[in-house]
């Protein structure tokens, strides 16, 4: 396949993943804000912007953190390159530019999602419309993934799509955990102590993990357990461990198809082995923030190595 | 040759209101349908087009806006007998065009014989001196041609234009049929229609048959597109997908080791046949427009050395010239030794003194076109223009007469479209698509029917609000 197409597909799935994670983040913010007084609600929305990594852009336009401003900025602001509207536009544009590498089913799922969301987001989203907007984003993303699963050949194209999804997902999980955990835990002495349960839940909810976590831990909420689950539990599909197992498996398929391993495979293998060796108590002791910052840097390095090895650009 | 019909020829109904034989099967089905069901299907078709992204971008608009070409669900139907006659005429014309292009870029016998004047080539940007003395692989210039036909009577088809530069619209021929079959499956069990769906396969085979000498193994075919903002991008992607070919852009291609190669995830791989949807001028910045970002620097050298096939061949666009068109009867006769089976529309050349005088004296009755224009831009339709518009056009015409030709306003045939008030006749044309390779000429039965949606309008171009219809050739 063309390097340019590999690039388009890889980023298409990164953007799609990012849009879905933003929707989940908004969902969490919204639920939290509903149960708070006015001031704490603003605090919650500020944290959403922070977690989404949009502070600078947001502050250029807004002085306060009113909910309606925040969700409209994240959902539909055209000047925000990471707004869901911008991301969905980029997903479609990438799909169009690599149209002959994806099946009609995938293309139609992307195009329909785009048309529906673009229409939905062409007007400001009110409080009454927010839940619908959020669930539409999640549904459309699921639709595209499903079309992908059911119709695509398991070849290089599929593998680049999957690698893009999991690189982005790992990055997002690490960022959400980092920001939320950091906000929640100003000092290490809080680890292990019982905090506001609702606050803890925001981390899990932002990653769609609250049900899975509860199911595995019989309702026990503590910082260590949550960090362990989101970083190291290979059963949870948004954990760092899970994402890396998937990327390795997709890179392995690529190596089988192409008949050779290249540099990025080694970079990935090393990163994964390092992650597998981790013990959550040691990670927390050494500093979760430091660990996550390192992780994000390494994750970017893996993506860059793949992009270079497979000639995504000239 | 000029049409003398006082009333318009409707392809479905006779002047007395009887159904013509081509439409008997369709009309008996139509009579059983209820109007609301048809309108519902029509809306579904629009939704289908929107969902599949069958859109085009309109030139000259600020934002690259994607539009749907309106689709009308009433098919345009041609009998097997009519089609046999048409396809013979089309084949003759394409054969002549190809022979003419070869001659033009070699011995120029036709100029020496005085059948076509030399002024046609002088200063004509579509004529490429770089092609002189070079024979493209397989001797094929016009791999893909679209011949625009108009009908004025039961047996009167005329060629209105030849499109050999980069004929577009074939994706609509294919998608319109798919849509009709999805909307009205039972109709196709009642009326036997010649299939069109094998066009992409034939195209792939036809292009592969023109592979250059440097080809090793199975020829690698790629479609070159200017990119996603091009008005016909949908079609480029569609054809690449249907052929199983790569869809490449300028940035994917580079000359490496004397071949044009594409950058894949595993390195550079040679392209053998490039179906380019980029105009000559942009093909090679080293040879043509140095500002071009759409082409491949050095591709012309590779081409001349037998390293790649370019389809259609560079320099083919001169066949689209409307002044040259006026000589097509002579051209067909010169190369085939036969009278043209398909007549031209009578054409006056403003470049010639007599022609210009006639055009100026009769401009209210004529259609005046730019010789290099396309897409219905830059033309004047005398009978429907105001005095002011005509006066303005006459000034342009007088300032630069060699830039114009004129034709009588033809009474194009009509085919009904579905309107809120039932069927209503609208003017149509027909663009069949023709493939050429060393193995012969293949014409897909049918083509693209364009229809003017406004009552009485003669402009069928999609860029000017025209729509399309599925085009049926009946099987015997």
């Amino acid at each position: 396949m063309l390097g340019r197409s590999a690039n388009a597909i890889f980023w298409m799935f990164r953007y799609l993943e990012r849009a879905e994670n933003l929707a989940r983040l908004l969902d969490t913010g919204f639920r939290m804000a509903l149960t708070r007084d006015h001031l704490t609600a603003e605090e919650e929305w500020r944290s959403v912007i922070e977690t989404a990594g949009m502070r600078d852009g947001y502050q250029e336009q807004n002085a306060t953190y009113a909910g309606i401003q925040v969700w409209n900025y994240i959902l539909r602001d055209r000047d925000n390159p990471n707004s869901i509207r911008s991301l969905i536009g980029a997903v479609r544009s990438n799909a169009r530019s690599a149209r002959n590498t994806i099946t009609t089913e995938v293309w139609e799922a992307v195009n329909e999602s785009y048309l529906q969301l673009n229409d939905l987001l062409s007007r400001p989203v009110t409080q009454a419309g927010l839940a619908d907007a959020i669930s539409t984003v999640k549904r459309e993303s699921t639709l595209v993934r499903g079309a992908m699963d059911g119709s695509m050949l398991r070849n290089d194209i599929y593998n680049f799509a999957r690698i893009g999804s999991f690189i982005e997902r790992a990055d997002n999980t690490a960022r959400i955990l980092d920001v939320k955990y950091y906000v929640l835990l100003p000092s290490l002495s809080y680890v292990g102590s019982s905090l506001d349960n609702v606050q803890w839940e925001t981390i899990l909810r932002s990653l769609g993990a609250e049900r899975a976590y509860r199911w595995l831990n019989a309702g026990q909420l503590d910082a260590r357990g949550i960090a362990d689950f989101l970083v190291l539990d290979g059963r949870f599909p948004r954990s760092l461990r899970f994402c890396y197992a998937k990327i390795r498996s997709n890179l392995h398929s690529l190596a089988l198809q192409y008949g050779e391993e290249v540099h990025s495979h080694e970079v990935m293998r090393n990163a994964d082995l390092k992650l597998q060796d981790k013990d959550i108590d040691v990670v927390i002791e050494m500093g979760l923030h430091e660990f996550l910052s390192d992780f994000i840097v390494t994750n970017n390095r893996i993506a860059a190595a793949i992009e270079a090895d497979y000639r995504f650009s000239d | 040759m000029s049409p003398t019909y006082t009333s318009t020829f409707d392809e479905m109904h006779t002047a007395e209101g009887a159904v013509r034989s081509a439409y008997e099967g369709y009309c008996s089905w139509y009579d059983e349908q209820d109007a609301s069901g048809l309108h519902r299907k029509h809306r579904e078709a629009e939704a289908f087009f929107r969902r599949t992204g069958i859109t085009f971008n309109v030139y000259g608009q600020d934002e690259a806006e994607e539009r749907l070409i309106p689709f009308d669900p009433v098919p345009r139907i041609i009998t097997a007998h009519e089609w046999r006659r048409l396809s013979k005429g089309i084949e003759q014309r394409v054969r002549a065009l190809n022979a003419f292009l070869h001659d033009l870029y070699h011995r120029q016998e036709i100029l020496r014989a005085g059948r076509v004047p030399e002024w046609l080539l002088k200063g004509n940007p579509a004529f490429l001196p770089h092609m002189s003395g070079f024979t493209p692989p397989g001797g094929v210039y016009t791999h893909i041609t679209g011949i625009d036909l108009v009908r004025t009577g039961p047996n009167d088809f005329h060629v209105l234009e030849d499109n050999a530069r980069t004929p577009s619209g074939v994706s609509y021929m294919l998608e319109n049929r798919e849509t009709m079959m999805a909307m009205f499956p039972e109709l196709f069990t009642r009326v036997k229609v010649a299939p069109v769906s094998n066009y992409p396969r034939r195209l792939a085979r036809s292009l592969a048959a023109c592979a250059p000498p440097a080809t090793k193994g199975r020829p690698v075919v790629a479609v070159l597109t200017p990119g996603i903002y091009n008005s016909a991008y949908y079609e480029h992607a569609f054809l690449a997908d249907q052929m199983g070919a790569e869809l490449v852009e300028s940035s994917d291609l580079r000359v490496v080791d004397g071949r044009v190669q594409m950058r894949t995830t595993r390195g550079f791989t040679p392209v053998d046949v490039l179906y380019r949807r980029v105009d000559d001028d942009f093909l090679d910045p080293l040879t043509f427009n140095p500002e071009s970002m759409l082409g491949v620097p050095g591709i012309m050298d590779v081409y001349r050395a037998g390293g790649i096939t370019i389809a259609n061949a560079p320099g083919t666009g001169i066949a689209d010239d409307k002044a040259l068109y006026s000589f097509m009867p002579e051209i067909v006769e010169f190369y085939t030794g036969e009278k043209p089976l398909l007549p031209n529309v009578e054409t006056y050349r403003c470049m010639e003194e007599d022609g210009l005088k006639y055009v100026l004296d009769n401009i209210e009755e004529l259609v005046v076109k730019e010789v290099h224009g396309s897409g219905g831009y830059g033309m004047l339709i005398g009978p429907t223009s105001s005095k002011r518009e005509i006066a303005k056009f006459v000034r342009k015409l007088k300032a630069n007469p060699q830039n114009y030709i004129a034709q009588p306003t033809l009474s194009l045939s009509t085919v009904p479209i579905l309107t809120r008030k039932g069927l209503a006749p609208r003017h149509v044309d027909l663009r069949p698509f023709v493939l050429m390779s060393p193995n012969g000429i293949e014409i897909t039965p049918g083509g693209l029917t364009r229809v003017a949606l406004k009552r009485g309008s003669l402009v069928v171009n999609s860029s000017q609000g025209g729509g399309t219809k599925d085009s049926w050739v009946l099987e015997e």
Side-chain angles (χ1 to χ4, degrees):
Chain A
M1 76 184 295
L2 293 175
R4 180 176 54 81
S5 302
N7 183 54
I9 292 294
F10 179 84
W11 280 98
M12 168 184 162
F13 279 87
R14 284 196 72 161
Y15 294 142
L16 189 70
E17 183 71 28
R18 195 175 295 174
E20 185 185 338
N21 290 331
L22 282 173
R24 204 172 271 114
L25 198 60
L26 275 181
D27 192 24
T28 312
F30 186 47
R31 277 160 180 275
M32 285 298 297
L34 279 183
T35 59
R36 301 282 144 151
D37 61 72
H38 174 69
L39 273 181
T40 336
E42 285 229 343
E43 215 24 59
E44 190 55 41
W45 284 117
R46 199 186 58 76
S47 152
V48 168
I49 285 288
E50 203 74 44
T51 313
M54 295 175 181
R55 190 184 55 201
D56 295 352
Y58 182 84
Q59 283 179 349
E60 267 175 39
Q61 294 186 18
N62 305 280
T64 62
Y65 285 90
I68 193 158
Q69 278 174 350
V70 170
W71 71 65
N72 275 294
Y73 183 77
I74 294 180
L75 280 173
R76 57 182 299 273
D77 195 294
R78 279 189 188 281
D79 296 330
N80 175 3
N82 282 315
S83 72
I84 286 174
R85 191 186 195 179
S86 304
L87 290 170
I88 293 294
V91 168
R92 180 176 185 264
S93 173
N94 280 25
R96 262 191 105 209
S97 80
R99 173 63 189 84
N100 67 327
T101 66
I102 54 177
T103 57
T104 304
E105 281 89 337
V106 174
W107 162 249
E108 287 187 8
V110 168
N111 194 40
E112 270 189 284
S113 303
Y114 166 81
L115 293 172
Q116 200 177 349
L117 281 167
N118 206 40
D119 181 54
L120 196 72
L121 299 178
S122 63
R123 297 164 297 272
V125 177
T126 61
Q127 181 154 352
L130 181 58
D132 183 38
I134 288 169
S135 64
T136 306
V137 176
K138 289 201 281 191
R139 191 172 54 240
E140 301 301 350
S141 153
T142 304
L143 203 64
V144 174
R145 230 185 355 251
M148 187 77 188
D149 187 65
S151 70
M152 291 282 293
L153 273 178
R154 272 20 181 202
N155 59 8
D156 43 0
I157 301 167
Y158 180 83
N159 285 311
F160 285 119
R162 298 297 279 171
I163 293 169
S165 299
F166 289 113
I167 287 278
E168 182 69 24
R169 187 179 291 180
D171 174 272
N172 292 183
T173 296
R175 278 176 202 279
I176 289 173
L177 182 57
D178 190 24
V179 176
K180 288 280 182 192
Y181 205 92
Y182 200 58
V183 169
L184 290 178
L185 283 182
S187 88
L188 274 177
S189 62
Y190 285 87
V191 178
S193 66
S194 166
L195 268 175
D196 179 350
N197 277 1
V198 185
Q199 280 291 337
W200 284 118
E201 261 186 42
T202 67
I203 299 185
L204 293 172
R205 199 180 281 282
S206 304
L207 290 160
E210 75 279 18
R211 187 194 164 274
Y213 184 84
R214 216 181 305 125
W215 199 74
L216 287 171
N217 295 280
Q220 285 289 323
L221 279 176
D222 64 84
R224 183 192 171 279
I226 290 174
D228 190 35
F229 184 63
L230 296 178
V231 175
L232 294 175
D233 197 320
R235 295 168 298 178
F236 177 57
R238 312 196 90 79
S239 74
L240 304 185
R241 172 72 66 74
F242 182 90
C243 291
Y244 272 19
K246 284 291 171 189
I247 297 171
R248 273 190 76 175
S249 143
N250 289 119
L251 279 174
H252 181 66
S253 302
L254 262 185
L256 283 181
Q257 186 189 338
Y258 286 176
E260 59 174 351
E261 280 201 355
V262 281
H263 173 66
S264 51
H265 293 240
E266 201 185 317
V267 177
M268 182 65 228
R269 187 164 41 243
N270 290 340
D272 187 41
L273 289 175
K274 232 169 91 186
L275 186 64
Q276 285 181 29
D277 271 350
K278 291 283 187 241
D279 176 294
I280 200 64
D281 292 319
V282 179
V283 167
I284 289 174
E285 200 177 319
M286 303 294 287
L288 184 64
H289 173 63
E290 283 70 24
F291 165 77
L292 291 170
S293 305
D294 274 0
F295 179 87
I296 290 167
V297 169
T298 308
N299 196 53
N300 285 338
R301 206 173 285 145
I302 294 166
I306 291 170
E307 293 183 21
D309 282 347
Y310 293 107
R311 301 171 179 84
F312 279 20
S313 56
D314 239 338
Chain B
M1 194 186 304
S2 116
T4 50
Y5 304 95
T6 47
S7 64
T8 302
F9 176 78
D10 186 75
E11 300 191 10
M12 185 185 275
H13 293 108
T14 66
E16 292 75 36
V19 173
R20 295 187 198 275
S21 67
Y23 287 84
E24 273 167 8
Y26 177 77
C27 286
S28 80
W29 171 87
Y30 179 85
D31 289 340
E32 296 163 15
Q33 310 302 309
D34 69 289
S36 66
L38 284 175
H39 286 291
R40 195 186 66 243
K41 296 272 191 181
H42 194 190
R43 284 194 301 277
E44 281 173 21
E46 296 254 311
F48 169 80
F49 282 119
R50 185 70 70 188
R51 191 174 70 232
T52 47
I54 308 178
T55 55
F56 80 112
N57 307 330
V58 181
Y59 284 114
Q61 287 186 314
D62 292 347
E63 210 164 313
E65 186 196 348
E66 291 167 34
R67 284 207 197 160
L68 288 184
I69 296 186
F71 168 74
D72 176 73
V74 181
R76 194 271 183 86
I77 308 176
I78 294 162
T79 63
H81 173 72
E82 286 166 343
W83 180 253
R84 250 196 323 276
R85 226 165 49 87
L86 277 183
S87 52
K88 280 202 188 98
I90 295 166
E91 177 165 350
Q92 179 198 46
R93 188 149 178 129
V94 170
R95 220 172 267 296
L97 273 176
N98 203 72
F100 169 69
L101 287 162
H102 185 271
D103 185 28
L104 212 53
Y105 289 114
H106 291 82
R107 294 179 47 81
Q108 303 194 328
E109 302 281 5
I110 197 165
L111 302 186
R112 294 170 200 225
R115 303 291 287 273
V116 166
E118 284 199 35
W119 59 255
L120 267 178
L121 306 187
K122 288 228 178 78
N124 190 329
F127 177 77
L128 298 184
H130 314 80
M131 288 297 289
S132 292
F134 173 71
T135 304
V140 178
Y141 287 83
T142 55
H143 305 81
I144 302 117
T145 316
I147 303 286
D148 286 359
L149 302 172
V150 294
R151 188 177 195 178
T152 53
N155 293 308
D156 302 278
F157 285 90
H158 301 259
V159 177
L160 185 65
E161 266 178 37
D162 304 286
N163 296 281
R165 190 189 305 264
T166 40
S168 67
V170 76
S171 57
Y172 293 93
M173 169 180 90
L174 298 166
E175 292 287 19
N176 287 356
R177 177 65 52 80
E178 289 298 317
T179 307
M180 285 295 280
M181 287 173 43
M183 282 198 299
F184 310 115
E186 75 285 1
L187 182 50
F188 288 84
T189 62
R190 286 172 60 163
V191 184
K192 288 294 162 210
V193 181
V196 293
S197 59
N198 51 8
Y199 177 84
R201 247 190 332 274
R202 286 177 163 191
L203 173 62
R205 202 174 51 202
S206 183
L207 289 171
C210 299
T215 306
K216 292 192 183 70
R218 198 171 67 160
V220 175
V221 178
V223 179
L224 175 63
T225 175
I228 62 170
Y229 298 111
N230 183 265
S231 67
Y233 177 77
Y234 170 77
E235 178 157 305
H236 308 160
F238 176 85
L239 287 174
D241 190 37
Q242 295 276 310
M243 287 196 289
E246 278 300 353
L247 178 65
V248 297
E249 295 177 11
S250 164
S251 67
D252 300 318
L253 299 177
R254 180 193 290 178
V255 174
V256 183
D257 301 332
R259 300 293 310 272
V260 173
Q261 307 214 18
M262 54 185 176
R263 194 184 77 247
T264 75
T265 50
R266 310 176 67 183
F268 281 90
T269 310
V271 174
D272 298 311
V273 182
L274 191 63
Y275 175 22
R276 48 86 179 226
R277 297 290 296 256
V278 167
D279 280 346
D280 287 352
D281 196 30
F282 297 101
L283 203 49
D284 186 346
L286 298 185
T287 309
F288 308 117
N289 182 350
E291 305 291 314
S292 171
M293 304 290 283
L294 305 177
V296 187
I299 190 174
M300 283 303 286
D301 288 343
V302 176
Y303 182 52
R304 293 183 58 98
I308 193 166
T309 295
I310 300 175
N312 288 352
T316 300
I318 192 156
D320 295 18
D321 188 278
K322 292 193 177 69
L324 191 130
Y325 160 90
S326 68
F327 289 96
M328 275 309 285
E330 286 86 351
I331 290 171
V332 170
E333 225 181 313
F334 188 80
Y335 296 106
T336 65
E338 305 159 359
K339 289 277 177 206
L341 299 171
L342 282 170
N344 259 17
V345 176
E346 191 172 354
T347 303
Y348 308 97
R349 304 170 195 123
C350 302
M351 136 92 57
E352 293 167 356
E353 208 173 302
D354 296 352
L356 180 62
K357 183 172 181 323
Y358 180 87
V359 172
L360 290 172
D361 289 348
N362 297 280
I363 197 155
E364 285 92 353
E365 269 94 61
L366 299 172
V367 177
V368 192
K369 299 174 173 176
E370 289 185 9
V371 290
H372 310 312
S374 67
Y377 291 106
M379 66 190 244
L380 175 88
I381 302 180
T384 62
S385 298
S386 69
K387 285 222 162 6
R388 257 181 72 182
E389 284 168 326
I390 290 179
K392 201 172 143 200
F393 201 90
V394 164
R395 275 200 298 279
K396 281 202 301 188
L397 173 58
K398 280 182 172 163
N400 196 7
Q402 65 275 18
N403 199 30
Y404 296 91
I405 54 109
Q407 294 168 336
T409 312
L410 292 183
S411 181
L412 304 189
S413 62
T414 56
V415 175
I417 63 168
L418 185 69
T419 70
R420 286 216 188 89
K421 292 178 185 153
L423 297 182
R426 293 292 185 272
H427 295 292
V428 294
D429 76 353
L430 177 66
R431 175 180 294 178
F433 293 93
V434 190
L435 299 175
M436 186 175 197
S437 77
N439 302 331
I441 288 178
E442 290 183 295
I443 310 172
T444 302
L448 173 67
T449 292
R450 298 185 296 178
V451 54
L453 296 174
K454 263 192 285 182
R455 193 168 65 164
S457 168
L458 293 167
V459 184
V460 297
N461 303 75
S462 52
S463 49
Q464 314 261 320
T468 66
K469 282 172 168 293
D470 189 15
S471 312
W472 293 4
V473 171
L474 299 181
E475 291 199 317
E476 279 167 293

